[in-house]
Amino acid sequence: MEILIRDTPEEGAQVAAKLFKKILSTRPQPVIGLATGGTPLRLYRELIRMHQSGELSFKDCTSFNLDEYVGLPPEDERSYHHYMRSNLFDQVDIDPSRIHLPDGCAGDLRQACRDYEKKIKEFGGIDLQVLGIGANGHIGFNEPTGSFASRTWVKILSEQTIKDNAIYFDDPEEVPRHVVTMGIATVMETRHCLLLANGAKKADAVRRMIEGPVSASCPASILQMHKRVTIVLDEEAAYLLTFKDHYKWVEGNKLDWQKYD
Ligand code: F6R
């Protein structure tokens, strides 16, 4: 795992955006996996800025999002379709026909999940997958104790995640209990994962992900087995890490071609 620790979330977003640009510029038709929630917002703002200043184009990109709520149509302001349009897609030059999100309103959800997996394969797999992490260690909406072999499927949110996500709804009762999410095995097949985490609320999950045992009780810990993962943390999210100084030492001794900034 490559661990990059920055003083602030803003600095973290900047290095993450540089990694993003590096991957986009080295592939003729990059396939990107995207996340929603509060954490990637700074990254998306930085990508939009880079696009506006002519440094970055999405025109040859294909995107696949991690997840969507069951029962929220794309035009619902609380849906992840809406989130992605307003926080990234409408402000960059991505071709709308290359945007993919799980359909939480499909008549046959199980078939829609199988089709989503098939689509990812048709495009040759995901080059760069952006991830956040839940306070309980989830990635995508793969909650603790879910199978490491899981594929895109309908999952039930934990009570903790419903509480955490209630800030985006008028009433916690309105938070859907079901989501369609890429599975852990789907995420593990991506070529490079970029996980961002900020704030003390995430520190325990971050410690378990990086330094804990690989266990389904912290789904993100499976990333220890992924061939290429970059984790970008702010100081608060990193404060429980035992080997924090080592991660900084490693970064300080990188060769030029290993650096993003
Ligand atoms: C969202 C997703 C989730 C979030 C996680 C953290 O697409 O897959 O795993 O990344 O719940 O959410 P925030 O960033 O809001 O703390």
Side-chain angles (χ1 to χ4, degrees):
M1 287 173 144
E2 175 181 52
I3 321 281
L4 309 178
I5 302 170
R6 294 291 181 275
D7 288 342
T8 63
E10 285 72 23
E11 288 169 74
Q14 276 169 21
V15 68
K18 283 176 183 154
L19 186 160
F20 208 97
K21 183 180 165 191
K22 193 171 176 176
I23 303 234
L24 255 58
S25 60
T26 52
R27 317 230 174 213
Q29 297 203 305
V31 181
I32 51 177
L34 298 170
T36 55
T39 311
L41 287 173
R42 289 184 186 85
L43 166 65
Y44 295 156
R45 276 200 289 272
E46 183 59 14
L47 295 176
I48 292 166
R49 189 201 62 72
M50 284 174 156
H51 169 67
Q52 287 169 347
S53 67
E55 285 173 69
L56 189 65
S57 170
F58 290 77
K59 76 176 169 37
D60 297 317
C61 265
T62 298
S63 75
F64 286 92
N65 260 78
L66 276 170
D67 34 40
E68 180 56 286
Y69 288 113
V70 168
L72 293 190
E75 54 286 0
D76 189 306
E77 283 183 7
R78 301 155 308 174
S79 73
Y80 290 150
H81 280 75
H82 189 277
Y83 169 107
M84 287 309 302
R85 283 197 306 274
S86 51
N87 292 303
L88 185 66
F89 296 149
D90 285 355
Q91 296 168 74
V92 296
D93 58 347
I94 192 163
D95 174 349
S97 71
R98 294 189 193 217
I99 293 171
H100 304 90
L101 283 95
D103 181 357
C105 292
D108 183 343
L109 279 174
R110 287 175 290 187
Q111 192 52 46
C113 291
R114 289 187 204 105
D115 292 345
Y116 201 68
E117 284 280 328
K118 230 164 81 196
K119 254 281 153 8
I120 294 173
K121 287 210 169 72
E122 274 166 29
F123 279 91
I126 293 173
D127 294 310
L128 179 65
Q129 177 64 55
V130 177
L131 296 168
I133 182 171
N136 63 4
H138 70 224
I139 46 173
F141 280 118
N142 296 280
E143 299 284 28
T145 74
S147 166
F148 281 162
S150 60
R151 294 275 163 192
T152 301
W153 206 241
V154 179
K155 303 278 170 76
I156 301 166
L157 291 178
S158 67
E159 287 180 276
Q160 158 95 54
T161 303
I162 290 176
K163 253 188 238 152
D164 291 344
N165 289 4
I167 51 167
Y168 301 109
F169 292 78
D170 293 334
D171 177 348
E173 283 302 309
E174 288 173 14
V175 183
R177 302 208 168 164
H178 300 94
V179 286
V180 175
T181 179
M182 280 188 206
I184 296 278
T186 322
V187 170
M188 290 300 282
E189 276 173 10
T190 63
R191 283 184 272 281
H192 194 144
C193 287
L194 167 62
L195 187 144
L196 302 163
N198 299 313
K201 244 182 90 179
K202 299 290 173 74
D204 187 53
V206 163
R207 179 188 59 77
R208 296 172 71 207
M209 163 175 65
I210 299 173
E211 296 177 348
V214 174
S215 161
S217 64
C218 177
S221 65
I222 191 66
L223 295 175
Q224 293 177 35
M225 312 283 288
H226 192 286
K227 55 193 176 300
R228 195 82 215 272
V229 179
T230 302
I231 296 178
V232 183
L233 306 170
D234 73 347
E235 283 285 350
E236 287 187 7
Y239 93 97
L240 291 175
L241 292 172
T242 307
F243 302 110
K244 195 167 114 176
D245 291 344
H246 170 67
Y247 308 136
K248 291 188 175 182
W249 161 261
V250 170
E251 194 184 355
N253 285 287
K254 279 186 167 180
L255 300 170
D256 279 348
W257 57 268
Q258 295 175 311
K259 293 179 187 164
Y260 304 113
D261 41 11

